[in-house]
Amino acid sequence: MIILISGASHTGKTVLAQRMLEKFKIPYMSEDHLKMGLIRSGNTNLTPEDDYKLTDYLWPIVREMIKTAIENCQNLIVEGCYIPFDWRNDFDSNYLNDIKFLCLAMTDEYIETHFHEIKNHASEIESRIDDSYLTIEGVKIDNQAYRDGFGKRGEQIVLIENDFESTINNLLENSLPLPYGRKLGDIR
């Protein structure tokens, strides 16, 4: 089973992936790690700020990693913001049957009332060197883009409206498929 987690920056994709790793004991791959490895190794001239170009550059690599994992019946969580809105077009039904997708997105109201918390939790799993660019308006625009882009394609969007922890815990308890080779009683 492949679980794809997308969404705007600061929505908790990495937090969810880490908690899924801990609960289900299956690995996750952060697209940010792949991005920085390719940038730091000199395999691309792109920079961390080249978001749209990075999606075009990284997705073909990630897509083929996903296919390989499915062909080998391996579980993998892939999290990141470099998953194109039309990602399903790259897989036939044999692959799609083994992929669960979700997009985390915050409502404008949540962003307005919890912006301080969003900034404070930005480095919960991975250290962010500089978050000074982060503004309420920027976060709202980014989240709206993901809600619109994936929403127009009928993808599952998990809205963070009131409480981040409750939303994440609900996903972990009720909404995610069991990985290959796992039974309900195996997960505690």
Side-chain angles (χ1 to χ4, degrees), residues 13-70:
K13 299 178 300 292
T14 309
V15 169
L16 176 59
Q18 179 68 35
R19 291 186 187 173
M20 290 173 64
L21 165 83
E22 293 165 3
K23 180 174 180 154
F24 298 118
K25 308 291 189 253
I26 59 175
Y28 76 87
M29 183 201 72
S30 168
E31 287 184 311
D32 282 341
H33 292 169
L34 178 60
K35 167 187 76 176
M36 292 311 297
L38 291 165
I39 290 171
R40 288 180 171 174
S41 67
N43 281 293
T44 181
N45 292 323
L46 297 173
T47 70
E49 288 77 36
D50 292 324
D51 282 343
Y52 295 107
K53 291 179 184 174
L54 281 164
T55 299
D56 292 341
Y57 181 69
L58 294 174
W59 180 245
I61 299 166
V62 172
R63 176 191 67 219
E64 297 308 314
M65 292 171 70
I66 291 168
K67 287 179 181 178
T68 301
I70 291 170

Side-chain angles (χ1 to χ4, degrees), residues 115-148:
F115 185 70
H116 184 71
E117 294 170 50
I118 293 166
K119 280 192 87 150
N120 284 344
H121 288 283
S123 294
E124 189 165 321
I125 303 295
E126 298 175 335
S127 296
R128 293 182 188 264
I129 297 170
D130 180 18
D131 247 358
S132 61
Y133 67 90
L134 198 67
T135 65
I136 289 176
E137 283 309 310
V139 174
K140 288 164 90 174
I141 290 167
D142 288 348
N143 275 267
Q144 186 65 53
Y146 279 83
R147 290 192 310 263
D148 289 347

Side-chain angles (χ1 to χ4, degrees), residues 167-186:
T167 303
I168 296 303
N169 288 336
N170 185 49
L171 280 170
L172 290 169
E173 296 302 321
N174 303 311
S175 300
L176 298 172
L178 293 175
Y180 292 123
R182 302 299 294 269
K183 298 179 190 120
L184 202 50
D186 294 342

